[in-house]
Amino acid sequence: MEKRYERNIPSISEEEQAVLVSKKVLVIGCGGLGGYVLEYLARLGVGHITVVDNDVFEVSNLNRQLLSAPDLIGHRKAAAAAQRMKRIAPGIDILPVEAFFGEENADRLIRNQDLVIDALDNIPSRFLMEDACERQGVTFIHGAVLGWNLQVTVGRPGSRVLHRIYGTGTAPSCTDAVSKTSLPMTPAACAAVQTAQAVKILTSHEPSLCGRLLLFNLETMEQIMIPVD
């Protein structure tokens, strides 16, 4: 085991740490949520990461997006993400895809992945991701933020959890404006929960948010857990 990962032990075992090196994770979006997710995955030692984003950095990103900086305004987010990941963990395989996630590439990007992490900023793209994950038999971890609020759940193939949350109106949810109205700590906290679920899935443990939607308010510290299966 590399010395850089020794502080991960014994929270995860040496055997599990070795497993993470072989795993493939697709992160869709590298803005507020995605930047933190990528950071955590790289520092954990996940060996193969693909990041998809076609946006460039804007000044309004500076309040909450870990990857953003004044000198990167106008630069591609996916390329900046790959550069940072290589600085953090030179041994990992990071593939930046400078493209919008859509119908034409969804199945190709998700195929052969061990896990997909939703760092998207709109509901139609999330529905598209869920449909593609179902076709490819891949689990995903959904996260969304709005102001002080965050939500996280795990979607197994066939669960249709995002259609239940967003499509029926039966459960409270963060809205379509997720990436545009967030405080800096909210995406960091949401990404931490998503990554914690990712580690459990990648090391063959049952995730605690499978079939349950976690709603958490960082201002009041109120937590709600809603069944969504």
Side-chain angles (χ1 to χ4, degrees), residues 149-153 170-173 193 208-209 211-218 220-228:
N149 298 284
L150 64 90
Q151 66 181 41
V152 182
T153 192
T170 58
S173 63
V193 177
S208 51
L209 292 178
R212 302 196 296 172
L213 174 67
L214 169 67
L215 302 174
F216 193 84
N217 183 291
L218 289 174
T220 63
M221 293 294 146
E222 291 179 299
Q223 173 183 309
I224 301 173
M225 198 77 75
I226 300 175
V228 287

XYZ file of all heavy atoms in Angstrom, residues 149-153 170-173 193 208-209 211-218 220-228:
222
model
N -29.200 24.034 1.877
C -29.789 22.695 1.831
C -29.051 21.765 0.882
O -28.585 22.177 -0.183
C -31.253 22.790 1.390
C -32.084 23.597 2.358
O -32.434 23.119 3.433
N -32.393 24.842 1.999
N -28.997 20.505 1.295
C -28.427 19.476 0.435
C -29.299 18.231 0.496
O -30.058 18.025 1.448
C -26.997 19.140 0.855
C -26.758 18.524 2.239
C -26.804 16.995 2.202
C -25.426 18.990 2.809
N -29.193 17.422 -0.548
C -29.881 16.135 -0.561
C -29.006 15.111 -1.262
O -28.270 15.433 -2.201
C -31.238 16.225 -1.243
C -31.211 16.526 -2.731
C -32.600 16.630 -3.323
O -33.500 17.199 -2.711
N -32.787 16.093 -4.521
N -29.086 13.876 -0.797
C -28.293 12.776 -1.357
C -29.119 11.504 -1.307
O -29.831 11.244 -0.332
C -26.981 12.559 -0.571
C -26.157 11.431 -1.215
C -26.145 13.833 -0.507
N -29.011 10.702 -2.359
C -29.578 9.362 -2.350
C -28.776 8.491 -3.288
O -27.993 8.985 -4.106
C -31.068 9.350 -2.753
O -31.631 8.068 -2.467
C -31.262 9.646 -4.236
N -43.806 14.028 -4.907
C -44.189 13.411 -3.630
C -43.176 13.656 -2.528
O -43.451 13.392 -1.365
C -44.373 11.891 -3.801
O -43.148 11.336 -4.304
C -45.503 11.593 -4.768
N -41.981 14.129 -2.879
C -40.951 14.368 -1.859
C -40.349 15.749 -2.044
O -40.235 16.228 -3.165
C -39.849 13.309 -1.964
N -39.973 16.419 -0.958
C -39.277 17.695 -1.084
C -37.961 17.490 -1.828
O -37.370 16.421 -1.772
C -39.010 18.107 0.364
C -39.898 17.265 1.194
C -40.120 15.993 0.432
N -37.512 18.506 -2.539
C -36.236 18.361 -3.235
C -35.630 19.714 -3.506
O -36.317 20.736 -3.563
C -36.416 17.615 -4.567
O -37.243 18.347 -5.441
N -20.846 13.568 1.636
C -21.814 12.489 1.843
C -21.840 11.564 0.626
O -21.856 10.325 0.754
C -23.213 13.059 2.118
C -24.237 11.929 2.264
C -23.210 13.921 3.382
N -25.864 3.275 2.918
C -26.930 3.577 3.873
C -28.050 4.406 3.260
O -29.126 4.509 3.848
C -26.353 4.310 5.091
O -25.559 5.403 4.694
N -27.829 4.987 2.083
C -28.857 5.831 1.470
C -29.510 5.171 0.256
O -30.148 5.845 -0.542
C -28.263 7.194 1.072
C -27.855 8.079 2.250
C -27.243 9.386 1.750
C -29.050 8.369 3.155
N -32.443 3.645 -1.347
C -33.872 3.651 -1.041
C -34.294 4.731 -0.068
O -35.450 4.773 0.357
N -33.348 5.611 0.309
C -33.672 6.693 1.238
C -33.061 7.998 0.730
O -31.932 8.018 0.236
C -33.137 6.397 2.636
C -33.659 5.116 3.240
C -33.416 5.072 4.745
N -31.993 5.053 5.060
C -31.518 5.164 6.313
N -32.366 5.333 7.324
N -30.228 5.100 6.541
N -33.808 9.067 0.851
C -33.345 10.401 0.473
C -33.006 11.181 1.729
O -33.864 11.404 2.587
C -34.434 11.145 -0.314
C -34.143 12.612 -0.668
C -32.997 12.707 -1.668
C -35.398 13.298 -1.220
N -31.739 11.576 1.838
C -31.297 12.408 2.952
C -31.471 13.871 2.590
O -30.965 14.334 1.569
C -29.823 12.142 3.265
C -29.156 13.134 4.231
C -29.742 13.023 5.629
C -27.640 12.931 4.247
N -32.212 14.608 3.421
C -32.334 16.058 3.308
C -31.676 16.667 4.539
O -31.983 16.282 5.670
C -33.799 16.486 3.247
C -34.653 15.901 2.121
C -36.109 16.320 2.287
C -34.132 16.341 0.761
N -30.762 17.618 4.317
C -30.040 18.205 5.444
C -29.912 19.708 5.242
O -29.587 20.174 4.144
C -28.654 17.575 5.579
C -27.973 17.886 6.887
C -28.245 17.140 8.019
C -27.069 18.928 6.981
C -27.632 17.429 9.232
C -26.450 19.224 8.183
C -26.731 18.475 9.313
N -30.177 20.458 6.323
C -30.057 21.911 6.295
C -28.878 22.316 7.174
O -28.880 22.074 8.388
C -31.356 22.557 6.803
C -31.310 24.067 6.719
O -30.568 24.719 7.445
N -32.112 24.627 5.828
N -27.874 22.921 6.580
C -26.672 23.290 7.315
C -26.884 24.483 8.245
O -26.112 24.676 9.181
C -25.541 23.623 6.329
C -24.945 22.447 5.561
C -23.955 22.953 4.524
C -24.267 21.470 6.497
N -29.807 25.071 10.094
C -30.530 24.627 11.300
C -30.020 23.292 11.837
O -30.377 22.902 12.944
C -32.017 24.471 10.979
O -32.171 23.427 9.988
C -32.608 25.778 10.448
N -29.195 22.588 11.033
C -28.717 21.261 11.372
C -29.860 20.247 11.478
O -29.757 19.239 12.166
C -27.883 21.254 12.651
C -26.578 21.998 12.507
S -25.471 21.165 11.334
C -24.638 22.560 10.584
N -30.951 20.525 10.772
C -32.085 19.592 10.737
C -31.869 18.562 9.634
O -31.486 18.888 8.513
C -33.388 20.349 10.506
C -33.799 21.219 11.671
C -35.090 21.972 11.395
O -35.115 22.772 10.451
O -36.071 21.724 12.114
N -32.152 17.327 9.966
C -32.013 16.215 9.027
C -33.343 15.491 8.885
O -34.029 15.232 9.878
C -30.940 15.247 9.534
C -30.832 13.964 8.719
C -29.807 13.007 9.305
O -28.674 13.382 9.563
N -30.229 11.765 9.535
N -33.687 15.180 7.639
C -34.897 14.397 7.348
C -34.478 13.238 6.451
O -33.698 13.412 5.505
C -35.969 15.252 6.644
C -36.374 16.456 7.501
C -37.196 14.393 6.325
C -37.297 17.417 6.784
N -34.988 12.059 6.721
C -34.732 10.891 5.890
C -36.078 10.413 5.344
O -37.003 10.101 6.112
C -34.079 9.782 6.704
C -33.403 8.726 5.843
S -31.803 9.251 5.181
C -30.769 9.129 6.651
N -36.200 10.391 4.015
C -37.468 10.042 3.353
C -37.303 8.762 2.565
O -36.397 8.657 1.741
C -37.917 11.180 2.417
C -38.116 12.485 3.191
C -39.205 10.792 1.697
C -38.436 13.667 2.296
N -38.152 7.756 2.778
C -38.108 6.556 1.935
C -38.465 6.910 0.493
O -39.432 7.637 0.240
C -39.165 5.638 2.559
C -39.414 6.184 3.914
C -39.178 7.666 3.820
N -37.689 6.391 -0.457
C -37.972 6.675 -1.873
C -37.946 5.392 -2.700
O -37.754 5.431 -3.908
C -36.985 7.698 -2.455
C -37.261 9.091 -1.931
C -35.535 7.305 -2.182
